[in-house]
């Protein structure tokens, strides 16, 4: 169910989860600030992951000269901290629930939303067993 009120710009999502879109905070399209931060980290990883991997492998190579490895280390420090893949949290795309609360990685939704979507046959290839 999608209800959009022009005065408050409030978007009501399915299952009584409220997604508030405020233009002042810059959360357009995101459930909350944590989801926006995770999205920004994913973009940073996509931009810098290959460069970071190459630079780390050059820095760990002990055959190369020490001054070259020090220069590579300075380049590594210049990259953003969020450029590493471990900084990405696997949050739910619909509710922004934490990764430790049963987020299904393949679909990137929480277990609660996954069950609801599977019950209504909205996930391709997933059927819930009933007996």
């Amino acid at each position: 169910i999608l209800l959009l009120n022009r005065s408050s710009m409030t978007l009501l999502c399915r299952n009584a989860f409220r997604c508030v879109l405020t233009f002042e905070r810059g959360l357009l399209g995101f459930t909350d600030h944590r989801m926006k931060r995770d999205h920004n980290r994913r973009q940073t990883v996509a931009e810098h992951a290959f460069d970071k991997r190459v630079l780390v492998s050059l820095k760990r190579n002990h055959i190369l000269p020490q001054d070259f490895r020090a220069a590579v280390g300075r380049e590594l420090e210049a990259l953003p901290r969020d450029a590493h893949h471990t900084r990405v949290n696997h949050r739910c795309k619909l509710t922004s629930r934490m990764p430790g609360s049963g987020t299904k990685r393949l679909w990137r939704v929480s277990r609660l939303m996954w069950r609801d979507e599977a019950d209504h046959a909205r996930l391709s290839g997933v059927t819930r067993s009933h007996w």
Side-chain angles (χ1 to χ4, degrees):
I1 301 169
L2 182 68
L3 300 172
L4 191 59
N5 184 356
R6 282 191 171 270
S7 63
S8 63
M9 293 304 286
T10 301
L11 176 70
L12 297 175
C13 296
R14 180 178 38 233
N15 292 342
F17 288 109
R18 293 189 63 215
C19 306
V20 179
L21 302 179
T22 57
F23 294 109
E24 303 86 35
R25 290 174 38 191
L27 294 177
L28 184 60
F30 300 105
T31 305
D32 57 1
H33 69 281
R34 291 177 293 269
M35 184 182 283
K36 183 175 180 183
R37 183 175 53 206
D38 186 50
H39 175 74
N40 291 340
R41 283 182 180 167
R42 286 177 187 276
Q43 285 183 334
T44 305
V45 167
E47 291 174 14
H48 301 289
F50 181 74
D51 298 334
K52 187 165 182 97
R53 197 174 310 153
V54 168
L55 291 175
V56 165
S57 65
L58 286 174
K59 186 177 179 186
R60 290 182 180 170
N61 190 346
H62 295 291
I63 298 172
L64 297 174
Q66 185 66 28
D67 56 345
F68 178 76
R69 290 174 41 206
V72 168
R74 285 190 295 275
E75 286 186 37
L76 265 174
E77 290 173 359
L79 286 177
R81 184 175 63 172
D82 290 339
H84 200 268
H85 67 89
T86 58
R87 298 280 296 176
V88 174
N89 291 327
H90 300 285
R91 291 191 165 272
C92 175
K93 289 286 282 186
L94 301 174
T95 61
S96 186
R97 283 178 66 91
M98 294 177 12
S101 61
T103 304
K104 304 290 184 182
R105 280 184 129 177
L106 182 61
W107 293 278
R108 281 186 61 196
V109 294
S110 65
R111 61 183 172 78
L112 302 174
M113 295 306 297
W114 187 85
R115 286 182 60 166
D116 182 56
E117 298 291 320
D119 284 342
H120 295 96
R122 285 179 252 169
L123 293 176
S124 61
V126 176
T127 54
R128 293 273 313 269
S129 61
H130 298 282
W131 59 86

